[in-house]
Structures are given as structure tokens and as C-alpha cells.
Amino acid sequence: MKFTLSWLKEHLDTDEPLEKLADKLTMIGLEVEHIEDKAKALAPFTIARVISAEQHPNADRLRVCMVDTGNGAAPVQVVCGAPNARAGLISVFSAPGTFIPGKNITLGVGTIRGVESRGMLCSAAELMISEDHDGIMELPADAPIGAAYAQWAGLGDPVLEINLTPNRQDCTGVHGIARDLAAADMGKFKNPGIKQIKGEFPCPVQVTVEDAALCPGFALRLVRGVKNGPSPEWLQKRLTSIGLRPINALVDITNFMTYDRARPLHVFDAAKVKGHLTVRRARDGETLLALDGRTYTLDTGACVIADDHGVESLAGIMGGEASGCSEQTTDVLIESALWNEINIAQTGRKLGINSDARYRFERGVDPAFMLPGLEMATRLVMELCGGTPSENIVAGKAFGEDRVIDFPLAEVKRLAGIDVPLPEMKRILSHLGFMVAGSGAVVKVAVPSWRSDVHGKADIVEEIVRIVGVDKVPMTPFERGDAPRKPILKAIQLRTRRAKRALATRGMVEAVTWSFISKPHAELFGGGQSELALANPIASDLSDMRPSLLPGLVAAAQANADRGFPDVALFEVGQVFKGDRPEDQLIAASGVRHGFASSQGIGRHWSGSATADALDAKADAFAVLAAAGAPMQALQIVPGGASWLHPGRSGTIQIGPQNVLGYFGELHPRTLELLRADGPLIAFEVMLDRIPDAKQKPTRAKPILELSAFQPVSRDFAFIVDRSVKAGDIVRAAQGVDKKLITAVTVFDVYEGKGIDDGKKSVAIAVTIQPREKTLTDQEIDAVAAKIVTEVNKKTGGVLR
């Protein structure tokens, strides 16, 4: 919802500054999303006069202009490429250092084709006040030279945009917003009565409502002898300030009523309406050429306004082109009606129409303002277009149901924890339009017609609290009692959240892919069983439930690569299907990396490459498992993985052979070919459901975290071993020397080549020694190092390099 400050002040008598009004709007539940203050943004732009405009010596389409900026200084030289640059032109000037919003640049002193330019003459598009960029702005001859352009042009009217919750339909109009601000002591609410206009003759067009459930009320009036044309300047400014395009006076009046009073209306050209009007359900196959230029095919779910010729308007959503008003319109039918909110929402969603009228009607407009809205619109038509009005025709009810709530005053304290005196409650509620009767412990509160969202005691408490101020609600901790609170989230829900966060912190981007894949892809990843085939698939290539998240992630990575973004790291945490039983539906965490989307970052690593490899996938998988609470000390890495992985560049993560948690590595070339993806692609997938639950009862095990007061020591070792020796065997041999003293062993280099015998390789490890009881001497450290060398030689045959 957008509106300007001056528009707001038409309904609210206030001297409060803009910032304070914006803060108060947010505090009372009308969250301000954006404030556009063109006067502030365009403050550096001034009005200037072009003294001379000579041809540029080195460019045919450029002119060298001497510009009088009006500050008493010498004229400024500006190189300008606008075709309308000429001597005597009054335009808008920007000096060096000015930010140009239309170009998103800060202007500087430049040299253009060898000629210095010390400023710029601006177009309307460069100031972002219109889309006109054919030339620089041309101002009237009496525009004051040197004056601020924004102030002279009347652009000092800030535009506020608020985000409305669906229940606040009354604030889809500026009138309702002003009412809330007045209740919050931001000014005095202006609410003059709307006088009834006496009809000069009976309305010749009758209205029949076939289904009162679709249209509870319908009011109509004919105005003869109108003269349609452009609306006055004040009305055009109101509409253009919030992004609406003025069309003609009759249409602009309905748009103004929509935003000013939250009362959508429709106007028909009476000469184009054949016979009488009927409000009914559409017939299957009926069509309507709407005002947006599109033709819609209707069914019996839509409510329409029809004449003897056919459908003329899609009720409460959009009018028809055939009966629209133009400059030739002389007689006009003004319609003000009430519509079924659910039907409006369903029809608009089905046809894909998002109009201002639908936005308000599907939330529920004020039923009591149906007739006053018609009177107000009629008066505007007569003031701007002339004409003679008929009497009103009303079908159905012109008002809503009365709602009176018995409200115990103690509810405010019970639900919000604050004490609000009865006089203050009455003041707040009366300013919001409620009526309060009684002075005992329980009072009667009559709900105004425009607040269709208020139904019970808690709603009234909410109204009082938001005006008093949510910041006044005290912070009160919940009573925990003797028994601890039970967790709300299940273990798998916590694992899912933590897995997503862990992968996001590793630079991966979350993707959401289809739960359905083709049968060949399902068979490739261990699926394809008949029980996982869909009985009625939405597409031939989405025929089976997915046994893995990776087909979708690979497709997403390839789609990025096809569009010029090959270096991607994507992950997904979601459901996979291994069978048709509930226990066969598992939560998996999967990810793919392609190209230079490596996770290694800064640090020592044996590969020395920034491209993603199998170790990145292993690190991703371990990060997920650690975040999800897996027993990391019990994890085992077994060479080789699933059939869709490269056999020599993959691994299996398990806790014993009976509990396989997942796989990691490089995708097999055969897999890439079937998925039509470019390799190499690095992937992992772990099953969060297979992580053992943590023990609930305390054990006698010592705490895992033991902090030491002494500085750790790191020593590097390089061993020459047979090429067949696994680096993991060297790591385990070094760790086994003293498990309490040696806290970490990592591989940081693997080398084969010059200086190393054939069939051999060099594996370098970093060993962290953490003293526990005292600082170790050099002799003690050397003794530990000697034991490491001896143990590695004994277990692997490695010789210190």
C-alpha cells in the first residue's frame, strides 16, 4: 500500500515529522517498508540556463554548452549529447559530485573527446521522474535560475509504502491509516460526513441478483450528461505519486476511491449497456475481453455482471473493455457492491488476475460504506465531469451484521501483562471506531463495520496493546516448574535444520528439486521399483519417486553451467524413497560441487588445487554428520562407494558394515552420461535417519572436552612408503603412539616424482602434541617424535624422508 505524506494529511491533521509517523506506523502494526523522498534525493539538482551551445570540435552529435547555474559564478562548460541542447534553454543542472539516480553513477569532472565537461544537463529519465530520455529537460522560461529543482517542481512529497497483514483491509485506504495514527496520538482524524445526493430521476437500469451469497449488496446510479476528459492536476498527482497511470477523469475517480477509502467501484458507459444488469454465475465457456486487454474464458465458479448482450464485468475483479468509459462517454453507470471474499479470491487465482479491486474485495471491504462510497464517487463525478444524477438502486443489504462483544477488562492484563485504565481503553477503542458501553468489570464493545477481522476478546486486547505499544509489554519468563520442558522439534527436524546450516556455512547454496524423476534416473540410483512408480505422473520424465536427491541437484548444476555459471556448489536436504513402506522414506542431505567451487579455502592441503575434488565431498559429508550429532569417533571410511560413483575416487561412510550412513566422491562417467551432465562432478549423500540417537542416560565416560593450560606443539613428518600404502594407515600409526598426548594428525602433502623411487610416494603429516600436566622439554618432544617414526616404520614400512 503506497500513499504520500500530503495525501495522509488530507485525513490527518498533524505536525509530526515524517520519521516519527513512520516509526509509529510500524509500532502499531502497519510496517513501513520504504520511504521515497524525491526532494531529498534530488536536492543537489538546480535550475540552470544554457547561454550558448556550440558544435563539439571532435564529435558531430555533441555540443559544448556554457551554462549559467545562477550562483553568481562564471558560466560552467558542459559537453552535452542531447539533440535539444540550445542557447536560451532552461534545464536541470548537476554539478560534479552529484549522484545521478537514473544512471547509478556519481558525476565527476571528465574530458569528452578532448573537451573538459564540468557538470551535466539532465533528462527526466536520469532523475527517475519519468521514462523520457529523448533529450534534456525543458523548463518554462520563468523557472528561477539557481533554485533547487525538486522544490520548484513540487517533488517534496514523500511516498510511504507499508506492508499490510491480510486482516487489515481497512488500511488498504489512506482514510483507515489516518484513523489508526490518530488513535496513536499522531494527530486529529478528519472524518467529515458524506452528504447524500438527491436523485433527479429514477434510474432506468434495473439490477437483479440471482445469488445473494455471491453478492450480498449492490448499489447503482446513472449520471447523465457527463463530459469525460483528463482529470485535474491534483488527482493526476495523487495517482502518479503511487505509480498509477492517469487514464481519464471517470476511471481516475474509481482508482482514487480505491486507494483513498478502500472502496473499489466500477463505472460503465451507459450507452454500451444493453437492457438491465444481472449479477449471476458465469456460464461455462463464456468469455470476457477485460480492461487489461486479455480475453478470459469463464466457468460457473466466477461471478459476473451481465446485461442482455452478455458478460460486461468480472465481479469485484476487473471490468470489461466493451462497456469501458472513454472521452465519448456522456452517460455513466456507477456501481458500488459487496462481493463474497472467498469467491473473489478463487476466481482471481484461477484466472491469474491481480487487480487492486481483487486485493481489497478478497480481504473484505466495509459493508456500511457501500452507499456512502457511491455518494462520494457521484459527487466527484459531478464536480469533475458535470452531469445529473439519478436515484440510487439498491439490491440486497447495504450494511453488515452488528457485532457486540462482552469484554472483561481483566483480559488486557491476563493476555498482555499490562495495566491499562478503563478511560484509556475507551479512548483507544473509540478513536479506532469501536463503541464501548458500561463501566463494570465487563463492558460491551460494538465492533465497527470496517473491522471484519475482530471477532472475540483477544482481538480487542490486540487493538489496545498495539496502540499502547508492544514495547510496553513486560518481558516475563515462562514458569518452568520442576519438570524440564519437552523439546518441540523431533530429532530428525533438528538434524535437518543443523545440516542445512552446516552446508550453507561451507559456501553451498540450497536448492529445492522435484521429488519425481524419470525411471532410468531412478534405476541408476537404486530405485525404479514398481512400487515407486507413479500411477498418474504429471510428465513422462517425472514418472518415479526419487531414491536420491542427486539427480535433481546434478540437473540444477548443469542448468547453471549451460547459462554460464559452471562453478556451483548446491545442496538439498529432503525426503528420498527406498520403498513404499513408511520406514523406507528417509531424510537425506546431499550436495554437488562443479568446477572451481572448492571448499578448501586457505590452509595446507596436499592437492594444492582450487578445483573441487573428492576430499571436498568428504569434508561436506563430515560437516553434515558432525552438525547432525553423529558419533564422529566411530565413523569409518571404506574405499569405494555406490555404483553411481567413480570406484577409485569415492568412499563409503559407515559405523560398521551394517550401518552405512552415506557416500562421497566423484560421479562415474557413466552416471554423467546418463544424466547428460558435464564432469567432473563431486557429490555426497548421507542419510540423516541412520545416525544413531545419542544416549539419553548419563554414562561414566569421561568428558570429551579437556582443556589444557599449555601450548600445543606441532611437528611435521614426511615418510617414503610404497605406493600401495594408504595415508590413513600412516595417520592411525602416528595416533597410536600416545592417544592422550597426540590430539591431531593430518595429511598435508602427497608427492610422487623426481627424487622419489618408482613405486614409492612421499606422504607428509602434521602431528599436534598437546601437553596436559607440564610444558614438554625438547628432549621429551624428540622422544615422542622418535616413537612416531618407529611406529610408522613398523606398521607401514615408511622411512623418514
Side-chain angles (χ1 to χ4, degrees), residues 648-689:
R649 302 172 187 173
S650 60
T652 299
I653 306 173
Q654 63 184 35
I655 305 177
Q658 301 302 320
N659 188 7
V660 176
L661 299 185
Y663 307 96
F664 67 89
E666 183 178 322
L667 290 182
H668 198 289
R670 183 179 62 250
T671 303
L672 295 174
E673 182 180 1
L674 186 59
L675 295 177
R676 296 182 180 180
D678 300 327
L681 260 171
I682 310 304
F684 77 91
E685 184 162 80
V686 297
M687 299 299 166
L688 301 181
D689 295 271

Side-chain angles (χ1 to χ4, degrees), residues 2 12 38 205 312 408 417 764:
K2 288 184 177 181
L12 182 70
K38 279 188 166 57
V205 179
E312 295 293 348

Side-chain angles (χ1 to χ4, degrees), residues 696-733:
Q696 300 296 323
K697 296 181 179 180
T699 65
R700 296 181 180 180
K702 295 181 179 180
I704 296 176
L705 180 62
E706 293 183 4
L707 299 179
S708 174
F710 303 100
Q711 186 74 17
V713 178
S714 180
R715 288 291 184 267
D716 296 343
F717 302 84
F719 295 97
I720 296 177
V721 295
D722 292 337
R723 184 179 296 174
S724 60
V725 174
K726 300 175 182 177
D729 294 338
I730 300 175
V731 170
R732 282 189 288 273

Side-chain angles (χ1 to χ4, degrees), residues 300-622:
T300 56
C303 180
V304 299
I305 303 173
D307 60 6
D308 295 345
H309 180 266
V311 177
E312 295 293 348
S313 175
L314 193 56
I317 298 177
M318 187 172 290
E321 182 73 31
S323 58
C325 295
S326 65
E327 292 186 359
Q328 288 72 41
T329 299
T330 57
D331 298 340
V332 61
L333 286 167
I334 307 175
E335 165 249 306
S336 177
L338 302 175
W339 306 106
N340 182 283
E341 297 91 341
I342 296 176
N343 179 263
I344 293 293
Q346 291 174 339
T347 303
R349 189 180 300 114
K350 184 183 299 182
L351 298 177
I353 303 177
N354 290 304
S355 64
D356 290 331
R358 173 197 164 183
Y359 180 83
R360 286 155 178 82
F361 278 125
E362 70 183 2
R363 285 159 172 77
V365 300
D366 180 7
F369 196 69
M370 184 181 78
L371 276 177
L374 180 62
E375 301 288 354
M376 183 175 175
T378 303
R379 186 171 299 279
L380 284 171
V381 169
M382 294 172 62
E383 290 176 355
L384 303 185
C385 305
T388 304
S390 75
E391 297 173 353
N392 292 332
I393 285 183
V394 179
K397 296 194 301 183
F399 49 85
E401 301 292 337
D402 292 333
R403 282 169 292 154
V404 179
I405 299 172
D406 291 331
F407 180 63
L409 300 179
E411 284 293 280
V412 178
K413 176 67 174 178
R414 186 180 73 86
L415 295 179
I418 57 177
D419 290 309
V420 181
L422 177 60
E424 178 65 8
M425 290 188 194
K426 286 186 174 181
R427 186 198 69 81
I428 291 173
L429 292 174
S430 63
H431 277 66
L432 291 173
F434 296 81
M435 295 181 64
V436 183
S439 57
V442 179
V443 298
K444 291 187 177 296
V445 178
V447 181
S449 58
W450 57 83
R451 292 305 302 271
S452 58
D453 59 309
V454 176
H455 299 282
K457 298 177 289 185
D459 297 325
I460 297 176
V461 173
E462 179 185 356
E463 293 302 302
I464 295 171
V465 171
R466 71 183 183 87
I467 299 300
V468 170
V470 179
D471 55 328
K472 300 296 192 302
V473 177
M475 296 179 63
T476 305
F478 286 109
E479 291 293 337
R480 295 189 176 273
D482 297 332
R485 288 181 177 271
K486 295 182 179 180
I488 298 175
L489 298 179
K490 298 179 180 178
I492 190 61
Q493 293 175 311
L494 291 173
R495 290 175 183 174
T496 300
R497 286 187 174 189
R498 292 165 182 167
K500 290 182 178 182
R501 290 176 182 172
L503 293 172
T505 58
R506 292 182 58 78
M508 304 186 79
V509 178
E510 184 176 11
V512 179
T513 63
W514 286 99
S515 295
F516 319 125
I517 59 176
S518 65
K519 182 171 287 295
H521 291 176
E523 292 173 344
L524 178 64
F525 285 84
Q529 304 98 314
S530 59
E531 59 267 21
L532 292 182
L534 299 175
N536 186 24
I538 60 176
S540 59
D541 59 344
L542 300 173
S543 59
D544 285 55
M545 303 300 291
R546 62 185 180 190
S548 169
L549 301 175
L550 290 175
L553 289 174
V554 172
Q558 185 60 40
N560 279 273
D562 293 342
R563 288 160 177 78
F565 299 95
D567 305 319
V568 293
L570 304 176
F571 79 89
E572 183 173 6
V573 181
Q575 205 167 38
V576 296
F577 304 87
K578 303 296 184 181
D580 58 353
R581 299 176 303 171
E583 57 267 27
D584 294 330
Q585 300 178 17
L586 307 175
I587 300 297
S590 306
V592 296
R593 291 183 183 269
H594 184 267
F596 290 92
S598 171
S599 65
Q600 294 167 14
I602 300 174
R604 305 170 68 186
H605 195 272
W606 66 270
S607 69
S609 172
T611 56
D613 57 23
L615 293 180
D616 288 308
K618 174 187 174 185
D620 293 333
F622 268 64

